[in-house]
Amino acid sequence: MGTEPQLKLYNTLTREKVDFQPIDRENVRLYVCGPTVYDFAHIGNARPAIVFDVLFRLLRQVYGESHVTYARNITDVDDKINARALRDHPGLPLNDAIRLVTEKTETQYYQDTTALGCLEPTVQPRATDNIAEMIEIIEKLIARGHAYQAAGEVLFDTKSMADYGQLSKRNLDEQQAGARIAVDAHKKSPGDFVLWKLSAYNEPGWESPWGRGRPGWHIECSAMSGRYLGDVFDIHGGGLDLIFPHHENEIAQSRCAHGTDVMANVWMHNGFLQVEGRKMSKSEGNFVTIYELLQTEKLGGRTWPGAVLRLAMLMTHYREPIDFSVKRLEEAERLIAKWPAADAGDAAPDAAVLAALADDLNTVVAIQALHALAQAANADASILPVFAASAALLGLLPEKVEMDDAVVAEIDARVQARLELLKAKNFAEADKVRDALLAEGIQLKDGKDAATGERITTWEVKR
Ligand SMILES: [Zn+2]
């Protein structure tokens, strides 16, 4: 591993690209803010999932697979979840309704990110499994004079932290200028934020020293990162929109509770995403979920393979804004169509691809190098293993589906039997054959033979 390039990362905290030095090479620790599970993830949510998956893969390459811990949380307590549970399951007790919403959304998020080629993080803690850890941090903050109780809430006292605002470079006076003083009359300063709030009888709640209540959003990430990665860890990531207030407040909580100078050494943020040149919004009609892109004809009148969505995302550097459009997706598809299918082996990735990624995840240059390698591999099969290892480093390995001849013959026979059923107008039985094949991952496509005009069926293995 001594031959690996020096990893450089842009640190939002210092606004400069720095040489990355892990606290412990044996256990490099990365935390990324995960989804609030009340609705399908949109394509903007896919960006951090993909970007930090590339970082995770790169860290595993440089430090070894078993020497990286990647934690991404699941926010399963939130007022948006309560509202969705009441809307979708009005007859059920709230806790049951909430569980249905969060379990369904969490499963969908897992399916979406898997289809986008993302590895599972090492740990995916749920907020509701970490309430005791949150209470413990809040107790520490109160004991150290950084938090206070007012009007049924426990609030962080921003004035108690001399250097609050380092990440976003905001100062408290700027924040006060825009705050709604009347609404926040119980706060010592307008920038103070909620750590804990009391729950009404019909809201989810947990017993605490301050009564039955629920945590604020920011405290969740301080508790979960602390539990799984320690008081100080290597890299914290998320979208640009999280810098303020979410990440600023995570830093305030963790540093003041643990008495440390930093929470994470490097803070990384991915840029904004637009769809077809406009900010994504339901009223603009350009709001699109990952599921819709993969499974429906919402964008461009067709479905898109996960690998095409992933490549389209990585064709822009993660810190730049991105315009997600049909044109871009078509461009990604044309590119990937020229790449050879290959098996992941144990070859080392190409030095140029690795060097580009090591330079603050320059996926744009890495993809150029990968494409050159693909062209070389198309002409010379001995280059295939290096191409495969390089594509895998980006999570973009075009899979080769190997099937036994006997299995292929068996599927052909079943497809032929279905055609006979269709000819005999036995549609119910024909549908049964089609559904059984689909359940095994075989997708049928009906069409006509161009020469004879006869009905034919082709099939493919769905990835
Ligand atoms: Zn967070």
Side-chain angles (χ1 to χ4, degrees):
M1 268 170 252
T3 57
E4 305 290 359
Q6 171 62 51
L7 182 52
K8 289 177 187 293
L9 298 172
Y10 182 84
N11 188 357
T12 308
L13 203 54
T14 55
R15 304 292 196 267
E16 62 184 0
K17 217 192 271 189
V18 292
D19 282 354
F20 175 67
Q21 303 293 353
I23 297 164
D24 175 5
R25 291 184 67 97
E26 299 295 309
N27 183 18
V28 181
R29 289 160 288 160
L30 164 68
Y31 186 91
V32 175
C33 297
T36 300
V37 285
Y38 72 101
D39 205 350
F40 284 40
H42 58 67
I43 189 62
N45 302 133
R47 196 170 189 194
I50 292 170
V51 162
F52 293 107
D53 178 70
V54 172
L55 177 63
F56 182 37
R57 287 169 186 269
L58 177 63
L59 292 171
R60 283 157 50 111
Q61 174 68 36
V62 175
Y63 297 99
E65 270 188 27
S66 58
H67 299 296
V68 183
T69 305
Y70 173 18
R72 187 179 63 203
N73 69 295
I74 290 161
T75 296
D76 60 351
V77 50
D78 187 279
D79 289 352
K80 288 195 283 289
I81 296 173
N82 305 345
R84 186 56 60 103
L86 288 170
R87 190 195 81 178
D88 289 357
H89 309 285
L92 283 183
L94 184 63
N95 280 345
D96 295 343
I98 285 175
R99 204 176 54 242
L100 285 180
V101 169
T102 55
E103 279 177 0
K104 179 181 166 219
T105 315
E106 203 182 309
T107 304
Q108 187 63 47
Y109 185 77
Y110 174 71
Q111 288 173 358
D112 290 348
T113 49
T114 302
L116 294 172
C118 298
L119 300 172
E120 256 194 280
T122 323
V123 278
Q124 298 184 80
R126 291 186 189 86
T128 55
D129 291 333
N130 291 273
I131 301 287
E133 284 74 12
M134 297 178 209
I135 291 174
E136 196 182 312
I137 295 181
I138 298 169
E139 284 183 311
K140 272 190 197 169
L141 289 171
I142 293 174
R144 287 170 170 259
H146 292 293
Y148 60 97
Q149 268 184 278
E153 294 179 342
V154 181
L155 294 146
F156 186 90
D157 184 354
T158 45
K159 278 267 169 28
S160 73
M161 184 185 189
D163 55 357
Y164 177 85
Q166 266 191 339
L167 183 71
S168 59
K169 311 279 186 240
R170 292 182 178 216
N171 65 48
L172 282 171
D173 295 332
E174 274 172 43
Q175 287 158 44
Q176 284 184 356
R180 293 170 297 166
I181 305 291
V183 177
D184 298 331
H186 64 296
K187 294 182 178 180
K188 286 187 185 173
S189 317
D192 293 357
F193 56 90
V194 172
L195 301 168
W196 189 265
K197 58 186 166 192
L198 294 182
S199 292
Y201 75 95
N202 59 352
E203 289 172 330
W206 290 261
E207 293 306 327
S208 82
W210 319 285
R212 183 179 169 278
R214 59 196 191 282
W217 172 34
H218 316 306
I219 196 71
E220 294 177 14
C221 288
S222 285
M224 290 184 266
S225 62
R227 176 170 175 180
Y228 293 98
L229 305 181
D231 295 350
V232 178
F233 52 93
D234 296 295
I235 305 169
H236 192 310
L240 206 58
D241 52 323
L242 294 184
I243 292 179
F244 188 87
H246 184 54
H247 289 167
E248 197 70 84
N249 292 348
E250 280 187 32
I251 292 172
Q253 295 162 161
S254 293
R255 283 187 49 204
C256 291
H258 306 310
T260 54
D261 290 337
V262 292
M263 176 184 182
N265 284 332
V266 179
W267 286 77
M268 292 175 69
H269 294 96
N270 63 270
F272 290 114
L273 177 142
Q274 294 192 321
V275 174
E276 297 290 352
R278 300 187 317 278
K279 187 176 192 283
M280 186 168 51
S281 80
K282 287 191 171 143
S283 60
E284 286 273 359
N286 66 345
F287 188 92
V288 61
T289 65
I290 302 168
Y291 173 83
E292 287 170 329
L293 287 163
L294 291 166
Q295 303 286 352
T296 78
E297 294 167 2
K298 179 84 184 268
L299 198 66
R302 52 164 290 191
T303 60
W304 299 95
V308 170
L309 299 176
R310 184 179 177 99
L311 178 59
M313 200 70 88
L314 295 176
M315 280 164 24
T316 297
H317 188 262
Y318 78 93
R319 286 197 282 123
E320 298 293 324
I322 194 169
D323 183 22
F324 215 74
S325 62
V326 171
K327 195 168 154 256
R328 161 182 290 265
L329 286 166
E330 287 170 347
E331 196 185 323
E333 191 166 57
R334 276 197 300 275
L335 198 63
I336 219 166
K338 293 176 189 150
W339 295 357
D343 293 319
D346 50 11
D350 176 60
V353 173
L354 189 55
L357 291 180
D359 181 16
D360 193 31
L361 300 187
N362 195 333
T363 54
V364 181
V365 172
I367 287 166
Q368 284 165 2
L370 185 66
H371 187 62
L373 209 56
Q375 286 174 311
N378 280 330
D380 175 359
S382 74
I383 295 167
L384 264 179
V386 179
F387 165 76
S390 309
L393 187 57
L394 281 152
L396 285 168
L397 186 63
E399 269 177 82
K400 203 157 84 185
V401 182
E402 296 275 12
M403 287 184 101
D404 204 272
D405 287 350
V407 175
V408 172
E410 191 238 41
I411 294 170
D412 281 342
R414 288 163 71 190
V415 170
Q416 197 53 43
R418 175 177 166 273
L419 274 176
E420 298 301 326
L421 287 166
L422 285 175
K423 268 188 207 158
K425 301 211 181 321
N426 189 347
F427 299 113
E429 285 302 313
D431 283 353
K432 273 188 199 164
V433 176
R434 187 196 58 202
D435 293 346
L437 284 165
L438 189 61
E440 295 164 37
I442 312 294
Q443 189 156 41
L444 302 187
K445 211 174 199 173
D446 290 319
K448 272 203 173 85
D449 186 297
T452 64
E454 238 180 286
R455 188 205 295 262
I456 51 162
T457 300
T458 55
W459 58 270
E460 60 177 10
V461 182
K462 265 178 64 175
R463 286 181 189 155

